[in-house]
């Protein structure tokens, strides 16, 4: 296993439209890194460039300290799990997993041992003489993971491996992949468009948008201290509330409603500047606590989820969503008072979308 | 299916009648295709006197294998058979290898003038063979290759390349790219991935192209007659013309020789038809 380093990695087709713009990124040995972003953000392309399936237009990819730009995929000592499984349909499961080892002239008893170990780990050891056609989607993806494991590569690459599975199986496989990482201690780079997968699996998340790296940090930091409005809106379900406002003294003016700001929030913002105020739905509460400030609001819409209810509220000129206890049943139109801790409020520059301040506590 | 939908798809309202029509259509195709072959087989089992007898007998009265004996002894039929097999097998193998590489390039590499290349391939197969005969003859003579297997293998390979390439390219296009990517990550070179993953999965296409190439080479007459005039180098289609004398037309013997020429093709197709029909690519990918 080894670390991976990307230095100014860019991709463009025909020298025209850039798909990726100078991505810098370090993946430490044994780290689980997730590339997340909407479709078309370049995350899969970036993964394929690390794998050697896409050429690198500019910049450098290093695996274990070695620049691999010019190396073909087979020489990079990586293994990849594809969204569509990509199992060899004409080979049995055993041969699917053994293929890479056979090409590397591994001794037969060593192949047998490694394949059996991986098969037991993934609970597919009873079906090794079958062909992929006889398997369910979840089993096929297990085989694909097994094919990667037996190689004992430096780096594992996962390209949206759970996208084709149904919801329940996806949750199951997600925790299995996490367990697998804990057990193998392998370096993993994992691509997904699903922010829940990103949050649950990653040691660090790289959020990509439009071929740019928006933020690269721990799930905790990404969630609580988003670097841009894009990250704030992309991570979290429902996403962070983003409300247009203007800076007025030490408060944000939401068009009639003033939100006093923690003094640290003000750094770098000019008076009267157009800003976006961000606050997570769970930080808008119906009961006062500690240093909370009170905001007058009115109920617009209730979305009960069982354990809780998502309440859309009118706050000044804007609408915000609050995560409320399941017992909340006020009909639309009811005036309520929202409480928010000023330290939970993030401020973004309205034009650039970059964070001016981040919430300090969570 | 609703009656309206039936009208729209052109199917008759009565499913039984539809089945009858389909069977009738199939019967026409089968009779049209097989009658000549069956007629040749029956003729090859008749005596010459029975053949000219009137009214004609459809089933031979006295079955005889004498015609086969005569076919093999009057002319070196075994030698013709061997020549044909050698030439057809070699040119088929060569066609498949070259066509596979060309087809892979067309199907996979992002070629700039892909459409132009495809058009050129199709266009190249449109020259009538007669127009190519003299240049090919002169070339082979210059290369001192007349009356060799090579003299036929090379032009047959070239003539078969367009159809083989197009058939293989369309099959390769149906194979998911990530299968090759997986193979290349597992340790294959690009060419290695082609031989170990793409070609095995395109087996139905490979057999289809192979059978087309083999049959074309097996049947070819004009080049075989012109380039390999030497008696020991004749192929079956040329050899079979030698049975007729100046005043005689020994139909039963000719028929026996024709049956000998038909059997290898029939065996070949019977052996591989399952592979041609079978879908091998199922199950490796999602869906």
């Amino acid at each position: 296993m080894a670390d991976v380093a990307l230095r100014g990695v860019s991709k463009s087709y025909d020298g025209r439209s850039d798909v990726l713009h100078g991505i810098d990124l370090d993946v430490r040995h044994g780290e689980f890194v997730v590339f997340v972003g909407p479709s078309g953000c370049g995350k899969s392309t970036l993964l394929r460039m690390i794998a050697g399936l896409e050429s690198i237009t500019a910049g450098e990819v290093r695996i274990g300290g070695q620049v691999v730009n010019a190396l073909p995929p087979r020489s990079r000592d990586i293994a990849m799990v594809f969204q569509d499984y990509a199992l060899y349909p004409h080979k049995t499961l055993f041969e699917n997993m053994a293929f890479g080892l056979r090409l590397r002239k591994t001794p037969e008893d060593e192949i047998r041992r490694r394949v059996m170990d991986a098969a037991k780990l993934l609970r597919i050891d009873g079906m090794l003489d079958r062909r992929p056609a006889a398997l369910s989607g979840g089993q096929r993806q297990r085989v694909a993971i097994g094919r990667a494991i037996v190689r004992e590569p430096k780096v594992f690459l996962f390209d949206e491996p759970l996208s084709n599975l149904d919801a329940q199986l996806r949750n199951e496989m997600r925790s299995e992949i996490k367990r697998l990482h804990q057990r193998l201690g392998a370096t993993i780079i994992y691509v997904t468009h699903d922010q829940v997968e990103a949050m649950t699996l990653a040691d660090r998340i790289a959020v990509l948008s439009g071929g740019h790296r928006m933020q690269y940090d721990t799930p905790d930091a990404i969630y609580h201290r988003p670097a841009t409005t894009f990250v704030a809106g992309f991570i979290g379900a429902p996403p962070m509330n983003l409300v247009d406002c203007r800076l007025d003294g030490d408060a944000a003016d939401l068009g009639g409603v003033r939100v006093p700001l923690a003094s640290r929030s003000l750094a770098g913002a000019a008076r009267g500047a157009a800003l976006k105020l961000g606050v997570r739905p769970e930080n808008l509460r119906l009961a006062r606590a500690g240093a909370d400030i009170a905001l007058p609001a009115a109920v617009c819409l209730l979305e009960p989820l069982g354990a809780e209810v998502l309440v859309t509220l009118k706050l000044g000129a804007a609408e915000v969503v609050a995560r409320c206890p399941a017992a909340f049943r006020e009909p639309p139109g009811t005036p309520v008072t929202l409480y928010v801790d000023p330290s939970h409020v993030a401020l973004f520059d309205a034009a650039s979308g970059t964070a001016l301040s981040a919430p300090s506590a969570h | 299916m609703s009656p309206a939908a039936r009208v729209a798809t052109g199917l008759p309202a009565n499913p039984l009648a539809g089945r009858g029509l389909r069977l009738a259509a199939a019967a026409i195709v089968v009779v049209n295709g097989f009658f000549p072959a069956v007629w040749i087989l029956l003729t090859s089992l008749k005596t010459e006197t029975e053949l000219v007898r009137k009214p004609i007998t459809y089933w031979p009265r006295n079955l005889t294998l004498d015609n086969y004996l005569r076919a093999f002894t009057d002319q070196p039929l075994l030698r013709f058979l061997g020549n044909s097999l050698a030439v057809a097998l070699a040119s088929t193998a060569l066609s498949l290898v070259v066509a596979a590489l060309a087809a892979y390039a067309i199907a996979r590499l992002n070629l700039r003038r892909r459409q132009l290349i495809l058009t050129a391939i199709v266009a190249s197969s449109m020259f009538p063979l007669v127009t190519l005969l003299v240049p090919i003859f002169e070339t082979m003579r210059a290369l001192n290759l007349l009356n060799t297997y090579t003299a036929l293998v090379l032009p047959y390979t070239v003539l078969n390349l367009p159809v083989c390439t197009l058939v293989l390219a369309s099959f390769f296009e149906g194979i998911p790219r990530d299968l090759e990517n997986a193979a290349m990550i597992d340790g294959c070179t690009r060419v290695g991935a082609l031989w170990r993953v793409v070609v095995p999965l395109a087996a139905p296409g490979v057999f289809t192209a192979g059978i087309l190439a083999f049959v074309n080479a097996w049947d070819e007459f004009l080049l075989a007659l012109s380039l390999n005039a030497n008696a020991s180098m004749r192929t079956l289609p040329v050899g079979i013309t030698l049975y007729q004398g100046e005043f005689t037309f020994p139909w039963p013997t000719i028929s026996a020789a024709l049956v000998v020429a038909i059997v290898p093709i029939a065996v070949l197709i019977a052996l591989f038809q399952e592979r041609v029909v079978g879908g091998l690519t199922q199950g490796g990918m999602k869906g």
Side-chain angles (χ1 to χ4, degrees):
Chain A
M1 273 164 285
D3 55 332
V4 177
L6 309 184
R7 291 284 172 270
V9 171
S10 298
K11 176 77 183 175
S12 63
Y13 294 103
D14 309 337
R16 282 182 282 118
S17 50
D18 276 4
V19 182
L20 287 165
H21 310 266
I23 303 287
D24 287 309
L25 211 117
D26 281 290
V27 180
R28 286 189 287 263
H29 174 92
E31 198 172 22
F32 197 133
V33 166
V34 174
F35 295 172
V36 70
S39 51
C41 71
K43 56 190 189 297
S44 278
T45 307
L46 190 57
L47 192 77
R48 281 164 180 264
M49 286 161 84
I50 297 170
L53 300 174
E54 294 269 0
S55 63
I56 298 164
T57 311
E60 235 175 49
V61 174
R62 272 183 241 155
I63 298 176
Q66 186 194 6
V67 178
V68 296
N69 284 34
L71 290 183
R74 65 178 187 284
S75 311
R76 296 189 181 197
D77 200 8
I78 42 144
M80 186 153 166
V81 177
F82 293 85
Q83 177 177 355
D84 291 337
Y85 323 132
L87 299 178
Y88 311 120
H90 56 308
K91 294 179 188 289
T92 63
L93 299 200
F94 186 93
E95 288 306 322
N96 260 281
M97 292 203 266
F99 187 58
L101 298 177
R102 289 203 195 289
L103 289 170
R104 287 174 169 73
K105 308 261 187 290
T106 313
E108 189 61 36
D109 51 343
E110 172 79 3
I111 291 179
R112 184 151 291 279
R113 189 184 61 74
R114 287 209 214 168
V115 172
M116 293 314 288
D117 285 353
K120 276 200 199 92
L121 191 67
L122 294 161
R123 287 177 281 124
I124 45 173
D125 45 331
M127 45 184 88
L128 288 178
D129 53 348
R130 295 197 204 160
R131 280 177 210 278
L135 270 59
S136 70
Q139 289 169 328
R140 286 183 205 176
Q141 200 53 288
R142 272 173 222 268
V143 178
I145 293 170
R147 181 171 66 183
I149 290 176
V150 296
R151 292 255 320 277
E152 297 176 6
K154 280 186 187 153
V155 182
F156 288 90
L157 306 176
F158 285 82
D159 189 6
E160 308 223 18
L162 307 183
S163 300
N164 287 330
L165 307 180
D166 59 47
Q168 198 195 337
L169 202 54
R170 201 179 317 158
N171 289 343
E172 236 174 79
M173 287 295 288
R174 198 178 64 211
S175 39
E176 265 186 61
I177 289 175
K178 182 144 195 173
R179 230 170 270 148
L180 208 62
H181 175 245
Q182 285 169 358
R183 192 159 164 173
L184 300 173
T187 309
I188 294 181
I189 303 178
Y190 186 109
V191 162
T192 181
H193 63 270
D194 179 352
Q195 46 108 3
V196 178
E197 275 175 40
M199 290 296 292
T200 50
L201 289 171
D203 294 324
R204 280 197 287 173
I205 297 174
V207 183
L208 299 176
S209 171
H212 291 278
R213 194 192 89 176
M214 305 307 282
Q215 192 171 3
Y216 182 41
D217 214 326
T218 61
D220 210 41
I222 297 260
Y223 187 79
H224 293 289
R225 294 186 296 279
T228 65
T229 48
F230 174 82
V231 177
F234 189 75
I235 300 287
M240 183 180 262
N241 293 299
L242 291 169
V243 180
D244 288 318
C245 63
R246 287 197 175 272
L247 194 60
D248 178 15
D250 55 357
D253 181 1
L254 274 61
V257 178
R258 280 172 57 88
V259 181
L261 299 167
S263 56
R264 81 180 80 231
S265 304
L266 300 171
R271 186 183 165 80
L275 302 176
K276 275 186 190 293
L277 179 145
V279 58
R280 290 275 175 204
E282 61 270 29
N283 291 330
L284 290 172
R285 292 186 303 265
L286 296 166
R288 178 188 287 273
D292 283 3
I293 48 170
L295 302 169
V299 176
C300 291
L301 184 73
L302 295 179
E303 292 170 279
L305 297 175
E308 59 196 13
V309 54
L310 299 179
V311 184
T312 307
L313 301 127
K314 192 100 181 142
L315 178 66
E319 283 197 346
V320 295
V321 175
R323 214 184 266 273
C324 298
F328 185 88
R329 280 290 182 272
E330 299 294 341
T334 314
V336 292
T337 306
L338 278 179
Y339 296 96
V340 61
D341 183 336
S343 69
H344 284 151
V345 171
L347 277 181
F348 302 91
D349 181 73
S352 68
T354 51
L356 299 170
S357 74
S360 54
H362 44 266
Chain B
M1 203 187 290
S2 72
R6 274 204 195 93
V7 170
T9 54
L11 293 174
N14 181 351
L16 221 62
R19 199 176 143 73
L21 271 179
R22 274 201 296 273
L23 279 175
I28 290 170
V29 172
V30 169
V31 169
N32 181 54
F34 277 89
F35 179 76
V38 172
W39 194 243
I40 287 168
L41 180 67
L42 292 177
T43 305
S44 76
L45 299 171
K46 289 175 186 172
T47 60
E48 206 147 345
T49 43
E50 186 179 349
L51 190 72
V52 294
R53 184 182 301 157
K54 293 220 169 131
I56 54 169
T57 53
Y58 289 93
W59 190 257
R61 291 254 169 87
N62 338 306
L63 283 172
T64 172
L65 289 174
D66 286 355
N67 300 315
Y68 286 89
L69 198 62
R70 216 167 295 132
F72 277 98
T73 48
D74 284 5
Q75 295 288 340
L77 186 59
L78 209 58
R79 174 87 210 180
F80 301 156
L81 193 67
N83 289 344
S84 271
L85 268 178
V87 169
L89 284 176
S91 73
T92 302
L94 205 56
S95 297
L96 287 179
V97 172
V98 178
L101 293 170
Y104 182 82
I106 288 166
R108 281 297 194 264
L109 311 183
N110 298 313
L111 297 177
R112 240 164 242 272
R113 305 236 178 262
R114 185 169 174 278
Q115 204 52 49
L116 189 71
I117 292 168
L118 279 175
T119 312
I121 288 173
V122 174
S124 73
S125 64
M126 297 207 170
F127 293 100
L129 190 52
V130 186
T131 62
L132 302 174
L133 182 59
V134 174
I136 291 175
F137 183 88
E138 287 302 324
T139 309
M140 291 304 163
R141 192 168 64 174
L143 294 172
N144 221 359
L145 286 173
L146 291 179
N147 291 310
T148 64
Y149 287 156
T150 317
L152 295 181
V153 171
L154 286 182
Y156 289 175
T157 302
V158 173
L159 290 171
N160 278 326
L161 273 180
V163 66
C164 288
T165 306
L166 293 178
V167 168
L168 288 179
S170 74
F171 272 85
F172 288 176
E173 268 163 18
I175 291 169
R177 283 178 189 230
D178 272 347
L179 279 178
E180 286 159 72
N181 290 337
M184 287 197 281
I185 285 175
D186 260 347
C188 288
T189 60
R190 189 175 273 281
V191 176
L194 170 63
W195 295 129
R196 286 165 180 275
V197 174
V198 179
V199 168
L201 292 179
V206 173
F207 288 117
T208 306
I211 286 173
L212 286 173
F214 188 88
V215 172
N216 279 345
W218 190 259
D219 285 351
E220 205 286 328
F221 180 76
L222 191 58
L223 285 176
L225 178 70
S226 317
L227 301 178
N228 283 7
N230 192 317
S232 68
M233 296 305 292
R234 287 180 185 127
T235 58
L236 271 174
V238 178
I240 287 170
T241 61
L242 300 175
Y243 285 95
Q244 65 188 76
E246 198 175 349
F247 305 109
T248 58
F249 245 100
W251 281 119
T253 313
I254 292 175
S255 298
L258 284 172
V259 170
V260 171
I262 290 169
V263 164
I265 298 279
V267 169
L268 183 80
I269 291 176
L271 277 182
F272 291 119
Q273 71 140 352
E274 209 171 308
R275 314 224 44 181
V276 171
V277 176
L280 253 178
T281 55
Q282 282 162 14
M285 305 292 285
K286 173 221 164 197

